[in-house]
Amino acid sequence: MNTIAVLTSGGDSPGMNACIRSVVRFGIASGLKVFGVMRGYTGLIEDDMFQMTERSVGNIIHVGGTILKTARCKEFMTDEGVDLAAQNLKARGIDGLVVIGGDGSFRGARELAKRGILVACIPGTIDNNLFYTDYTLGFDTAVNTVVDLINNVRNTSVSHDRVSIVEVMGAGCGDIALNAGLASGADVILVPEVKWSIDSVCQKLLNAKKRKKQCSIIVLSEHVCDPNDLAKMIQTKTEIECRTVILGHVQRGGSPSTFDRNLGSMCGAKAVEMLIQGECGVVGYRNGKIIYVSIEDALHGTRKFDINKYILAQKLSF
Ligand code: F6P
């Protein structure tokens, strides 16, 4: 192993820069040449890459986003696209590739591995939707961002005696909603993993009003239902004023938390170590330790929702 490359793919997440820094510096310190690929798999197909030095990653550890930029590349979903990407890597003498991204990016990496490229993946997504790792890179920062923003929503909801629905991201995984909901004292948390009914939500809000609560916060995971329709139904059924806040991409930006900087740094170094040892796979974090599993294993399995945490959040919000 002489030369490796690193790319970020899919939705960006805070901590990706810390991770790139680690891959580049750990790689160089281990005697490797390290290339940065621009815009994920798009850069591989277009041969848009450059050799990085230890200075290329200076002053980025605290910065959100990704200096390598990112993309969701449609062309890479075709055999021709993957063939071209593999050819471009081989033509530059690149033997190993670090992919920082979510499950879609892992599937792409698996295709490259089939074409003889050694790949080490790192779970970079705010969604925390991968079952083999306790945390994905960026999740901790995103939850903290959401909690800060809900604090602001709570201020104005109290002033107006309102119900506020705050929609958060998650791509089918309720972890952001659950963890931000518990940490911000939400009255209702609606996630894809737990069944709910409009009547039980309204009953909870009416009970809260009876108990003289000054406001109620509902944290809603994206795609569970339309937040504006939900607000209208609540207002009609309870006669309590209800407003909607869709947080959107503010959750993906911002300076990474200490946890995400450290997770990115540890995962980056582990990925390089794997490539040096000739291992293909996916890095993760389980029970306080950096681990790795095969790409296949990482993709087969469903994340277990923490129902006890959910029940606790419900119990504490009366
Ligand atoms: O996977 C990360 C994520 O932010 C999801 O939570 C969300 O559903 C999606 O990406 C949004 O994608 P885009 O940035 O393409 O709008």
Side-chain angles (χ1 to χ4, degrees):
M1 179 71 50
N2 290 316
T3 309
I4 63 169
V6 55
L7 62 81
T8 47
S9 164
D12 63 348
S13 68
M16 280 184 164
N17 280 331
C19 191
I20 295 167
R21 171 179 177 271
S22 171
V23 170
V24 171
R25 294 212 174 144
F26 196 89
I28 292 170
S30 308
L32 302 175
K33 270 194 218 157
V34 185
F35 279 76
V37 183
M38 296 305 294
R39 294 183 182 78
Y41 293 123
T42 307
L44 279 189
I45 289 174
E46 294 175 357
D47 197 33
D48 186 4
M49 46 190 115
F50 65 101
Q51 191 174 343
M52 300 182 84
T53 71
E54 59 276 26
R55 293 278 72 74
S56 317
V57 290
N59 303 312
I60 65 165
I61 196 165
H62 62 298
V63 180
T66 158
I67 59 161
L68 294 177
K69 299 186 179 278
T70 184
R72 301 185 203 274
C73 178
K74 289 223 172 79
E75 212 187 328
F76 196 72
M77 289 171 185
T78 64
D79 280 343
E80 296 74 31
V82 186
D83 288 344
L84 183 55
Q87 272 166 32
N88 286 339
L89 284 168
K90 285 176 188 164
R92 283 181 182 265
I94 296 170
D95 323 294
L97 177 69
V98 178
V99 172
I100 310 168
D103 53 352
S105 310
F106 289 7
R107 284 191 193 94
R110 183 174 57 185
E111 292 309 307
L112 280 173
K114 284 181 194 159
R115 286 156 177 84
I117 305 291
L118 206 57
V119 200
C121 301
I122 295 169
T125 166
I126 63 165
D127 297 327
N128 217 35
N129 57 348
L130 292 160
F131 89 101
Y132 76 93
T133 182
D134 294 343
Y135 296 104
T136 57
L137 185 57
F139 168 72
D140 181 68
T141 308
V143 169
N144 281 300
T145 302
V146 170
V147 170
D148 282 348
L149 294 167
I150 294 179
N151 293 342
N152 293 6
V153 172
R154 183 180 284 281
N155 292 156
T156 170
S157 298
V158 168
S159 305
H160 290 265
D161 296 311
R162 278 177 181 156
V163 169
S164 289
I165 300 169
V166 182
E167 189 197 84
V168 301
M169 285 183 169
C173 175
D175 275 26
I176 295 179
L178 171 64
N179 287 278
L182 176 60
S184 61
D187 299 81
V188 177
I189 302 172
L190 300 177
V191 290
E193 295 89 345
V194 181
K195 280 203 178 122
W196 60 283
S197 72
I198 184 68
D199 289 337
S200 64
V201 169
C202 289
Q203 198 50 58
K204 181 135 201 208
L205 299 173
L206 288 169
N207 288 346
K209 202 176 173 195
K210 238 189 249 160
R211 301 174 100 102
K212 306 253 179 297
K213 284 191 101 167
Q214 298 184 67
C215 81
S216 289
I217 304 288
I218 299 176
V219 179
L220 169 67
S221 196
E222 64 177 355
H223 312 316
V224 165
C225 69
D226 183 292
N228 293 316
D229 289 349
L230 180 62
K232 274 186 213 140
M233 278 194 278
I234 289 173
Q235 215 158 293
T236 310
K237 283 182 178 271
T238 64
E239 293 180 353
I240 309 172
E241 206 180 4
C242 186
R243 289 283 193 274
T244 299
V245 184
I246 298 171
L247 293 185
H249 291 84
V250 292
Q251 295 161 89
R252 289 235 298 257
S255 183
S257 65
T258 302
F259 181 84
D260 279 329
R261 295 179 198 194
N262 291 346
L263 183 63
S265 302
M266 292 188 292
C267 287
K270 183 70 188 175
V272 175
E273 248 173 35
M274 282 171 65
L275 294 179
I276 291 171
Q277 284 159 12
E279 304 263 13
C280 229
V282 174
V283 184
Y285 181 84
R286 213 184 279 156
N287 300 323
K289 288 205 174 77
I290 298 294
I291 51 118
Y292 71 90
V293 300
S294 70
I295 302 180
E296 216 48 52
D297 284 351
L299 289 171
H300 283 111
T302 311
R303 189 169 179 84
K304 200 167 174 287
F305 185 71
D306 191 344
I307 195 71
N308 290 329
K309 200 182 258 187
Y310 182 85
I311 292 167
L312 177 66
Q314 279 191 315
K315 275 195 184 152
L316 298 182
S317 64
F318 66 95

